[in-house]
Amino acid sequence: MKDHKGHEDREGREGHEDREGREDHEDREVHAAGATRPGRGKATSWGVAAWASGVGILLVAMPLAARGRLPDRLATHWGAASAPDGSLPLWAAAALPAVAWALLVSAVALASRRGSGVRGWAGATLLSVGVGLTGAQAVIVRANLDRSDWHQARSATLWFVVVIAGAVTAALIGVLLDRRATASAPPTPLTPGDPALEIPEGERFVWLSRVTNPWFQLSAAAGGLVAVAGALAGAAGLVGNPWPLIAPFAFVSVGMTAFSTVRARVTERGLEVGFGPLGWPTRRWAVGDIESARVERRTPAQVGGWGYRLNGLGTTVMLRAGDCLVVRARGKDFAVSVDDAGRAAALLNSSRVRT
């Protein structure tokens, strides 16, 4: 009985130690690859919802806004001779694309929840189809504008070619954005420490951290939708000069997008900080130029607000309050608000000592 009990005790201790070892190994792998803010998934969901809603609204609003200048039926299909050979009532031309879009969004959302393997193409699908549908709707409205009968609609072949090219470009952008968002560093078994970590001679490492500000993303999406609406209204002939509406909101959208996301990358060569969902533009510091690296808690009030700030503390990229990675190079400080900043600082200091 004693031997049997002792055997059970040894098995229990060994199983507990094995579980602890696996958990510790998993923890080291997660920390070695860097960190990502948990709010990133929610921000992405809000961005998709804003895009889906904006496209649906534009599909219905464009023909209804011009209904006083459109015939009762709209030409919606053109034959080989560039002459219209198909039409729909005004209400159907407005409703059917929106219904098709709603069904697509629902199908993509359902598929994304059931299998993580489809998420890679979900963004590309929604981007490309959204661009294609809204562009095609603008072309149809423009072709029928100020015509008394749909048979008199203008030729739209060239414009449809432009729309297809835009949809393909949007799909490529969606794929590129997904690859940037899901890129991760290969896990390296590093141990958290003080300002420096012991790195074996000749061993290479990669540390990544990515932070997204959801409010910047929502502002960028809102500005982009207004700019797109202005561009489509101009393409459809609803407004004479759409640029006063397009230019300021496009500028806001691009600016907010550029500073909505920041991605920091530390290797034995130094530090790279990329801005925006594509990680461009990028600032780089060679490890030989870095005088020191540290962690410092900063708030928007201390640095003068959100985004890219310049003040007495140096340069700060502020997307969320809290710990920042601060590097001093050529006598100037640069700080970026990223998670796991302590590990990044330790790796930079260790690499600086080795060179």
Side-chain angles (χ1 to χ4, degrees):
M1 292 294 292
K2 290 182 179 179
D3 292 340
H4 178 66
K5 183 176 180 181
H7 177 68
E8 290 181 341
D9 289 341
R10 286 194 301 273
E11 287 185 339
R13 287 195 301 269
E14 290 171 357
H16 180 68
E17 290 171 356
D18 182 61
R19 286 193 300 272
E20 286 185 337
R22 287 197 302 270
E23 291 172 356
D24 182 58
H25 176 69
E26 292 171 357
D27 182 66
R28 289 198 303 268
E29 286 187 346
V30 170
H31 280 291
T36 301
R37 298 283 294 174
R40 176 179 151 199
K42 183 180 291 185
T44 302
S45 299
W46 277 106
V48 171
W51 173 252
S53 302
V55 169
I57 292 171
L58 288 174
L59 290 173
V60 175
M62 278 190 286
L64 294 183
R67 61 183 178 274
R69 302 173 58 188
L70 295 173
D72 293 335
R73 297 183 68 85
L74 303 185
T76 55
H77 190 272
W78 283 257
S82 298
D85 59 2
S87 66
L88 285 174
L90 177 61
W91 68 266
L96 291 182
V99 171
W101 172 249
L103 292 176
L104 174 66
V105 171
S106 301
V108 169
L110 182 61
S112 297
R113 288 186 177 182
R114 290 188 173 182
S116 59
V118 303
R119 293 179 183 175
W121 56 260
T125 300
L126 293 180
L127 271 177
S128 61
V129 176
V131 169
L133 284 176
T134 53
Q137 190 75 302
V139 171
I140 290 172
V141 171
R142 182 182 181 86
N144 290 273
L145 201 64
D146 297 324
R147 295 294 191 261
S148 58
D149 187 86
W150 67 270
H151 294 92
Q152 304 171 355
R154 303 175 181 88
S155 174
T157 303
L158 178 60
W159 284 107
F160 277 123
V161 172
V162 174
V163 169
I164 293 173
V168 172
T169 302
L172 295 176
I173 292 174
V175 171
L176 182 59
L177 288 175
D178 178 74
R179 287 182 178 178
R180 288 280 185 173
T182 56
S184 60
T188 305
L190 300 173
T191 304
D194 292 328
L197 292 173
E198 182 179 350
I199 303 173
E201 188 67 30
E203 184 169 327
R204 303 177 64 184
F205 63 87
V206 177
W207 174 94
L208 290 173
S209 186
R210 180 186 179 97
V211 174
T212 298
N213 187 308
W215 296 109
F216 279 29
Q217 285 189 326
L218 289 177
S219 298
L225 286 174
V226 174
V228 169
L232 291 174
L238 301 180
V239 295
N241 181 17
W243 287 109
L245 183 64
I246 296 174
F249 286 98
F251 179 80
V252 170
S253 180
V254 171
M256 286 292 182
T257 299
F259 294 107
S260 64
T261 302
V262 64
R263 178 172 176 257
R265 183 172 185 265
V266 174
T267 66
E268 64 277 0
R269 293 187 298 271
L271 170 66
E272 295 181 3
V273 177
F275 301 92
L278 297 178
W280 185 88
T282 303
R283 291 197 62 178
R284 295 178 174 86
W285 292 262
V287 68
D289 295 332
I290 297 176
E291 302 168 19
S292 65
R294 66 185 188 276
V295 179
E296 189 175 298
R297 294 188 64 83
R298 295 186 179 183
T299 65
Q302 289 176 318
V303 301
W306 300 93
Y308 199 95
R309 316 302 299 183
L310 300 172
N311 61 9
L313 295 175
T315 302
T316 304
V317 181
M318 176 58 63
L319 294 188
R320 58 109 177 99
D323 287 348
C324 295
L325 169 63
V326 184
V327 296
R328 172 169 285 270
R330 303 184 186 94
K332 298 180 180 179
D333 282 351
F334 177 91
V336 56
S337 55
V338 292
D339 297 325
D340 200 26
R343 180 180 295 273
L347 289 172
L348 286 172
N349 286 330
S350 298
S351 298
R352 182 174 55 85
V353 171
R354 287 201 313 180
T355 57

